[in-house]
Amino acid sequence: MSEDQTPAPTMYAVHSSDRLKTLMERTGDGEQISSRELADKAGVAHGTIGNLMSGAQRIVPEAKAQAIADALGVRLLVLFIEMERAGRVFIPAQAAV
């Protein structure tokens, strides 16, 4: 890899849309959060949250995954699965739809 190329970001798959919805019903501080509020708080597009909730989208870059987890008040790996491990792409069964 040359110096002017940056590595692709690590991608994360949401465990399940149901888990995301459950965590939105009761965030780390015990409060409920709407999809629009979560998007605003995480600094991501509202469509991204909607797509993750519906299952239309399962994978996001690490920065977005971390921002969503932070906004919910949970650890990253509570909501997401790392897609790349030891240089190999890992596709969990629930994210391979």
Side-chain angles (χ1 to χ4, degrees):
M1 181 182 311
S2 68
E3 290 181 30
D4 61 338
Q5 293 179 338
T6 57
T10 301
M11 302 300 283
Y12 283 79
V14 70
H15 278 281
S16 72
S17 57
D18 288 338
R19 184 175 293 187
L20 173 59
K21 292 173 191 174
T22 298
L23 291 171
M24 290 173 63
E25 289 173 6
R26 187 168 184 156
T27 63
D29 64 6
E31 298 296 318
Q32 187 172 4
I33 191 169
S34 72
S35 59
R36 191 162 303 279
E37 290 169 330
L38 177 57
D40 290 343
K41 193 171 179 181
V44 301
H46 180 248
T48 299
I49 301 300
N51 288 338
L52 290 171
M53 290 175 66
S54 71
Q57 178 180 350
R58 296 202 176 268
I59 300 170
V60 293
E62 181 176 15
K64 286 185 181 182
Q66 186 65 62
I68 293 167
D70 289 347
L72 289 170
V74 299
R75 292 182 181 204
L76 177 67
L77 296 179
V78 168
L79 181 57
F80 291 96
I81 301 167
E82 185 178 358
M83 296 299 295
E84 187 176 322
R85 294 183 181 169
R88 302 174 81 193
V89 175
F90 173 71
I91 302 176
Q94 64 268 39
V97 175

